[in-house]
Amino acid sequence: MGYRIGIDVGGTFTDYLLLLPDGRTRVHKVLSSPADPSQAVLQGLNDLAGGLGLATADFLRQVDIIVHGTTVTTNAVLTGKFARTGLLTNAGFRDALAMRRGVREAFYDNKATPPPSLVPRRLRLPVRGRIDYQGRELEPFVADDVERAIEEFQRQQVEAVAISFMHAYANPAHEAAAAALVAQRMPSVYLSVSHGVLPQIRFYERTSTTVLNAVVGPILKRYMENLQRRLREEGFEGVLRIMQSNGGVTSPQAVAALAASTLLSGPAAAPTAGLAAMQPHGEDSFITVDMGGTSFDAALVVAGRPSITTAGTVNRFALALPSMEIATIGAGGGSIAWIDDGLLRMGPQSAGAAPGPVCYGRGGTEPTCSDANLVLGYLSPDFFAGGALQLDLPAAQTAIAERVASPLGLDTVRAAWGMYRVMNVNMASAIREISVQKGWDPRAFPLICAGGAGAVHAAMIARELGIRRIVVPREAAIFCASGMLRTDLKHDFVRSYSTVLDDAGVDRNHLGGLVCAMQAEAEEVLAAEGIPTAQRRFVYALDLRYLGQYHEVSVEVDAELLEAARWNAIRDAFHKRHDALFGYALQEEGATVELVSLRLAALGVTDKPPAIVEPEAASDAGHLIKGRRAVFQPESQAFAQTPVYDGDRLLHGHRIEGPAIIEKITTSIFVPAGFQLRVDALGSCVLEDQLREELA
């Protein structure tokens, strides 16, 4: 076996996990290069090669696989720097994209306005022809309308064309005819067709997803081609896989065709990494959080299964492709402090990689979370990134004093503590979004904390939520990169079938035909990616709702239940899930349950890197104290001389009582008073809140 590499490109840092042939790992981070992400990718690979004493070409020739998570598409939508796109849709429906669902996002804000449409009205062009919900043609397709639209698209120099017609999921004939004309007349344009992107009901969501795919498609396609070319030129001959929003990986060719599947690419690997981190504890339910330089991501895993949603949004635009249910907020080490009508705010604006926080000394002038952590003593000015970057404490103090403390009438330390507290409250709110708001009590789950900045805040976030146990993985700073090497290939398929879920409503032949069609398509895709039959897995789910409801709930079901038409068991599972999500179920009232869509997740199971269990050492870690420094203690609201431990030398079995600072090259861990830290068999640091345990 050769080398294997996981790469996670973030807004501030690009993270690497190198898996050596003997199972050992190496961690690396470089500053991201937003203008050309592949530049940072190649720089990191060069660094890894140098660390092994190899030339880059010699190193890459020994690399079997690279799994890559990217923010290219996400950043394009967030910044509005996406491809010029045209939309073909039914006559009379060209404004559906701008009208959205007709529901105000902020119910009590009568001044709230939706974001500008991804496609301006002049490029949303109508085509005559209609198909009804049963797939019957009501009006014939008018090819001349498409021809005229193509001429306008050519004049406007569009890079992508999206096609979304009413009820194309039931009969794609009109969409296919329009797509054929566009492909013939505009062969270089990126083509996104709704029955290929998302063949399901809900016209706005299908259209929005198809358009999102179109506006980022040319950008991702160019990036994939550029990355593959540069890797080949450097000597890479192995397999390149790309992380998708659904928590699986696939080929560069597949994501180039379905670019919207990468809109939440990087954070989607966290649940997989979490499952590996929890192996020594025998648990498969937990909350993962990842705090980097720009953002904070939170996800929930229950019984080994991460939450999946088909009602996601990216920058307020609907994305109906199956995606990890991840709460993402602008809360990272680079989050900027600002005053809003006398109130202290943190983020979502970020100093990013350039210029970065003030303490980086790279031209930043706005005080950030990292500046506050440095002032409070949680970060060392001399050991950031192992000493590779000297932090400027006086500059951080000055920035906080001028921009935060003075306007609020506080001293510099109190202002820094306020910044730290606001960050913690913001992050706790994101965790509540994926737990409390989904019917789960966060106190019932351990918290897996990752990201270079996360472990400085983890203990105080846990106390805010009542969580007793925190796990900081050994590779916390490159958590998602490590998860990517453990991720299976995954493809999602959907077919809409609206009917009452009982023997009278369901046509079993029709249902069986839809299931067979999806499975045949899935088998073909997995076979094309070289997945042996024995390594293919299929997971079915049904989108269900009470008759007349506005939204549906996705319920995973066994294939045997579908085949045997055990509607009562499926309805019971729906009632239980509905009760967990919304606090009620209509099971006793005998409410009618309606089937909306069928879903199939096709998995290609990959070989996983082995877990290396460390031998247990004595519990005393006193010999690893490398000094003491003044650290602000939450309990006393004052600085105290606090021991600083060499975290990179901690071994399985070591125990440390708080207050303490654990310094690693890639991250720092703040252990407040009342917490005990121990090191588990995989080298993860486990923090237990002793005060919470006593109260329990």
Side-chain angles (χ1 to χ4, degrees):
M1 184 181 79
Y3 299 108
R4 304 173 73 181
I5 306 173
I7 305 175
D8 179 25
V9 179
T12 304
F13 291 100
T14 296
D15 301 337
Y16 300 79
L17 180 72
L18 172 63
L19 179 65
L20 304 175
D22 62 5
R24 292 179 296 120
T25 59
R26 291 195 180 184
V27 171
H28 189 58
K29 296 173 79 77
V30 299
L31 285 171
S32 295
S33 51
D36 179 8
S38 66
Q39 182 178 337
V41 171
L42 268 297
Q43 178 190 334
L45 293 174
N46 290 335
D47 294 346
L48 290 173
L52 294 169
L54 297 172
T56 301
D58 293 336
F59 168 62
L60 287 177
R61 274 193 287 270
Q62 299 177 58
V63 175
D64 290 340
I65 186 169
I66 294 176
V67 185
H68 177 35
T70 175
T71 56
V72 168
T73 54
T74 312
N75 292 340
V77 176
L78 294 178
T79 62
K81 297 178 181 178
F82 36 70
R84 181 187 290 268
T85 299
L87 171 64
L88 295 178
T89 191
N90 293 101
F93 289 85
R94 67 188 295 193
D95 292 319
L97 190 65
M99 294 169 66
R100 299 154 75 88
R101 294 289 292 176
V103 177
R104 186 185 297 148
E105 292 173 283
F107 288 123
Y108 304 106
D109 184 357
N110 60 8
K111 296 181 180 179
T113 57
S117 175
L118 290 167
V119 180
R121 194 172 195 272
R122 68 180 183 277
L123 293 178
R124 302 196 301 262
L125 301 181
V127 177
R128 285 170 288 176
R130 279 293 294 274
I131 286 174
D132 72 5
Y133 74 99
Q134 292 182 319
R136 300 172 301 190
E137 184 178 78
L138 302 180
E139 298 177 11
F141 171 72
V142 180
D144 288 346
D145 290 349
V146 179
E147 295 283 359
R148 283 191 292 270
I150 289 172
E151 292 174 2
E152 180 62 20
F153 290 158
Q154 290 173 328
R155 279 194 295 270
Q156 296 288 338
Q157 297 181 322
V158 302
E159 298 177 74
V161 173
I163 303 174
S164 182
F165 292 162
M166 292 287 289
H167 307 301
Y169 59 87
N171 182 352
H174 288 187
E175 278 195 354
L181 289 171
V182 174
Q184 180 183 358
R185 293 278 303 279
M186 304 177 72
S188 62
V189 81
Y190 186 93
L191 196 53
S192 178
V193 187
S194 83
H195 73 266
V197 173
L198 189 71
Q200 70 175 55
I201 66 168
R202 294 194 184 277
F203 181 64
Y204 165 66
E205 283 80 0
R206 179 160 49 88
T207 302
S208 177
T209 303
T210 303
V211 169
L212 274 171
N213 190 64
V215 299
V216 300
I219 298 167
L220 184 67
K221 186 178 180 181
R222 283 193 296 268
Y223 175 65
M224 287 291 102
E225 291 172 349
N226 182 44
L227 178 63
Q228 291 180 89
R229 175 183 56 79
R230 295 189 67 174
L231 287 173
R232 284 195 304 270
E233 290 173 352
E234 293 289 344
F236 178 63
E237 299 172 351
V239 175
L240 176 64
R241 299 291 189 199
I242 308 300
M243 193 72 204
Q244 302 176 96
S245 307
N246 63 6
V249 297
T250 189
S251 66
Q253 294 75 22
V255 295
L258 191 59
S261 66
T262 66
L263 281 164
L264 294 172
S265 170
T272 303
L275 285 168
M278 294 304 292
Q279 283 180 359
H281 309 278
E283 296 183 52
D284 58 4
S285 297
F286 49 83
I287 295 170
T288 69
V289 296
D290 190 339
M291 182 184 181
T294 303
S295 63
F296 175 85
D297 306 309
L300 176 71
V301 176
V302 179
R305 296 288 177 87
S307 298
I308 299 289
T309 182
T310 55
T313 61
V314 180
N315 203 24
R316 299 172 65 197
F317 299 109
L319 176 69
L321 291 173
S323 305
M324 288 284 188
E325 196 159 14
I326 298 170
T328 299
I329 61 173
S335 292
I336 294 172
W338 54 289
I339 308 300
D340 178 19
D341 196 21
L343 298 175
L344 175 62
R345 307 283 192 186
M346 295 296 296
Q349 305 91 341
S350 173
V358 174
C359 61
Y360 282 15
R362 300 187 176 188
T365 59
E366 302 287 343
T368 67
C369 175
S370 290
D371 295 308
N373 289 342
L374 179 62
V375 169
L376 295 171
Y378 302 141
L379 298 180
S380 167
D382 303 316
F383 195 72
F384 190 76
L389 179 62
Q390 293 291 308
L391 300 184
D392 190 339
L393 176 58
Q397 292 170 326
T398 300
I400 292 175
E402 293 178 351
R403 302 294 182 102
V404 180
S406 180
L408 295 177
L410 301 172
D411 63 47
T412 301
V413 172
R414 288 294 163 187
W417 174 245
M419 293 166 64
Y420 179 83
R421 285 290 310 279
V422 171
M423 287 293 294
N424 293 345
V425 170
N426 290 347
M427 291 185 281
S429 296
I431 294 173
R432 290 188 180 99
E433 184 179 330
I434 52 93
S435 57
V436 176
Q437 294 183 23
K438 303 299 180 183
W440 302 101
D441 185 347
R443 295 173 297 183
F445 299 89
L447 182 69
I448 301 180
C449 181
V456 170
H457 297 261
M460 301 313 295
I461 295 172
R463 277 199 173 154
E464 178 84 19
L465 295 166
I467 295 173
R468 188 176 67 84
R469 184 154 48 105
I470 306 160
V471 178
V472 182
R474 184 176 54 186
E475 287 93 15
I478 47 83
F479 191 58
C480 287
S482 70
M484 289 173 190
L485 291 181
R486 297 179 174 276
T487 302
D488 295 324
L489 281 87
K490 186 176 182 182
H491 297 276
D492 293 293
F493 304 88
V494 61
R495 296 290 188 274
S496 286
Y497 180 29
S498 183
T499 187
V500 173
L501 191 70
D502 57 25
D503 287 326
V506 177
D507 181 337
R508 293 183 63 177
N509 290 331
H510 181 61
L511 181 70
L514 294 176
V515 170
C516 289
M518 284 195 296
Q519 182 143 347
E521 188 177 352
E523 295 275 13
E524 183 179 348
V525 170
L526 292 177
E529 292 188 325
I531 303 299
T533 302
Q535 292 176 240
R536 301 173 192 174
R537 303 286 185 273
F538 301 99
V539 180
Y540 292 92
L542 301 181
D543 290 351
L544 303 171
R545 65 186 179 190
Y546 293 119
L547 192 64
Q549 269 190 322
Y550 188 74
H551 293 295
E552 57 270 8
V553 174
S554 188
V555 178
E556 187 176 311
V557 298
D558 292 332
E560 292 77 12
L561 292 181
L562 277 179
E563 187 175 347
R566 293 179 57 189
W567 311 131
N568 287 336
I570 295 173
R571 283 195 296 268
D572 289 345
F574 165 71
H575 293 309
K576 182 178 180 181
R577 185 63 186 137
H578 194 281
D579 183 55
L581 286 173
F582 305 112
Y584 74 96
L586 302 179
Q587 186 171 10
E588 294 183 0
E589 291 84 344
T592 301
V593 176
E594 181 184 13
L595 169 65
V596 178
S597 296
L598 300 92
R599 298 186 182 276
L600 170 64
L603 304 176
V605 180
T606 58
D607 296 328
K608 309 297 188 295
I612 298 180
V613 177
E614 297 181 353
E616 189 166 2
S619 62
D620 183 20
H623 61 289
L624 298 181
I625 296 176
K626 60 180 185 177
R628 295 176 183 270
R629 70 167 178 263
V631 175
F632 191 85
Q633 299 297 330
E635 292 75 17
S636 62
Q637 291 288 287
F639 282 94
Q641 289 297 315
T642 303
V644 179
Y645 290 80
D646 185 347
D648 292 309
R649 294 171 57 200
L650 285 175
L651 299 175
H652 174 206
H654 278 155
R655 292 178 181 268
I656 296 171
E657 299 288 340
I661 295 289
I662 314 300
E663 281 189 347
K664 297 187 175 188
I665 292 175
T666 54
T667 191
S668 292
I669 305 172
F670 174 45
V671 186
F675 276 86
Q676 182 189 76
L677 179 147
R678 60 182 174 86
V679 182
D680 72 13
L682 296 182
S684 299
C685 293
V686 182
L687 282 72
E688 302 273 357
D689 190 342
Q690 304 298 305
L691 177 61
R692 178 69 54 184
E693 189 174 44
E694 291 172 7
L695 292 175

